[in-house]
Amino acid sequence: MNSRVLIYLAKQCNPKACTGAKLRRLGLVEVFYSPRKIPRVGIILNPFSKKALSPKDSELLQHGLIALDCSWKHAEEVFLRGKKPIEGRILPLLVAANPVNYGKLSKLTTAEAISASLFILGQKDDAEEVMSKFKWGPHFLKLNGELLNSYADAKNSKGILEIQREYFDLKEA
């Protein structure tokens, strides 16, 4: 894999089912275990960010893509305890293909979030490599293929939000 991917593993889920832990075992990602170790540079996937991840962020990928593998119940507190990273981005809406949350909007595993991010940032081969490690992984890319390609063609965060709004028929906030 060409992209540098880092994961904060909070150890809040079943280790056998944890996609972040599996990616670590396969040597595809770097892992850290304290929110205080969140790097200050790079792109951190932050569900509380106001700015959507877009291809415009690809130059920041050289510093790394950072994902937090923690329970959604504890996500906000993890972000508050960690260092303030330079660039936080929310992942645009996608449909989960993982067995636990299949078909649910934005209930992605860490692996799905990483793969989608890499795809949007122009690293499609890396995105496919990540998903190839899970039985259901290639289906995630197929299920979201049209949407991921549209997101990857967007110019910036505003374009991503427009695509998302139109695709999911959302009212403007």
Side-chain angles (χ1 to χ4, degrees):
M1 195 157 85
N2 295 320
S3 304
R4 182 175 185 223
V5 178
L6 302 99
I7 299 176
Y8 161 60
L9 278 179
K11 297 183 178 181
Q12 296 173 342
C13 60
N14 176 349
K16 291 182 181 180
C18 180
T19 63
K22 182 173 183 174
L23 293 174
R24 180 192 55 77
R25 285 192 306 273
L26 295 169
L28 295 176
V29 299
E30 299 171 44
V31 170
F32 54 96
Y33 297 97
S34 168
R36 299 198 193 299
K37 301 244 185 213
I38 295 171
R40 291 184 189 265
V41 294
I43 305 167
I44 189 164
L45 298 178
N46 180 345
F48 307 106
S49 178
K50 301 289 185 220
K51 195 168 184 181
L53 180 74
S54 77
K56 189 174 182 180
D57 297 313
S58 62
E59 73 254 9
L60 297 168
L61 189 56
Q62 67 182 340
H63 300 293
L65 174 67
I66 305 154
L68 303 182
D69 190 309
C70 62
S71 163
W72 281 103
K73 293 176 187 173
H74 303 291
E76 194 166 15
E77 95 184 36
V78 168
F79 277 97
L80 291 174
R81 283 193 326 221
K83 295 176 188 173
K84 299 299 178 221
I86 292 176
E87 299 296 338
R89 298 289 187 266
I90 190 168
L91 197 59
L93 293 175
L94 293 160
V95 179
N98 66 77
V100 174
N101 291 306
Y102 186 85
K104 294 181 183 172
L105 212 50
S106 293
K107 288 286 190 175
L108 308 181
T109 63
T110 300
E112 287 170 312
I114 288 168
S115 177
S117 299
L118 292 170
F119 196 103
I120 292 166
L121 295 169
Q123 303 299 313
K124 294 178 185 178
D125 289 343
D126 287 351
E128 289 171 359
E129 183 176 357
V130 168
M131 287 289 85
S132 74
K133 306 305 179 189
F134 304 90
K135 283 187 224 178
W136 46 266
H139 184 64
F140 171 74
L141 294 173
K142 185 176 180 180
L143 181 65
N144 291 287
E146 178 184 340
L147 197 49
L148 283 167
N149 281 308
S150 294
Y151 289 154
D153 289 339
K155 301 285 184 241
N156 53 32
S157 180
K158 185 177 178 184
I160 292 279
L161 296 175
E162 288 171 9
I163 292 165
Q164 177 177 276
R165 196 171 12 260
E166 184 177 302
Y167 190 88
F168 291 102
D169 196 27
L170 302 172
K171 305 292 182 236
E172 196 157 348

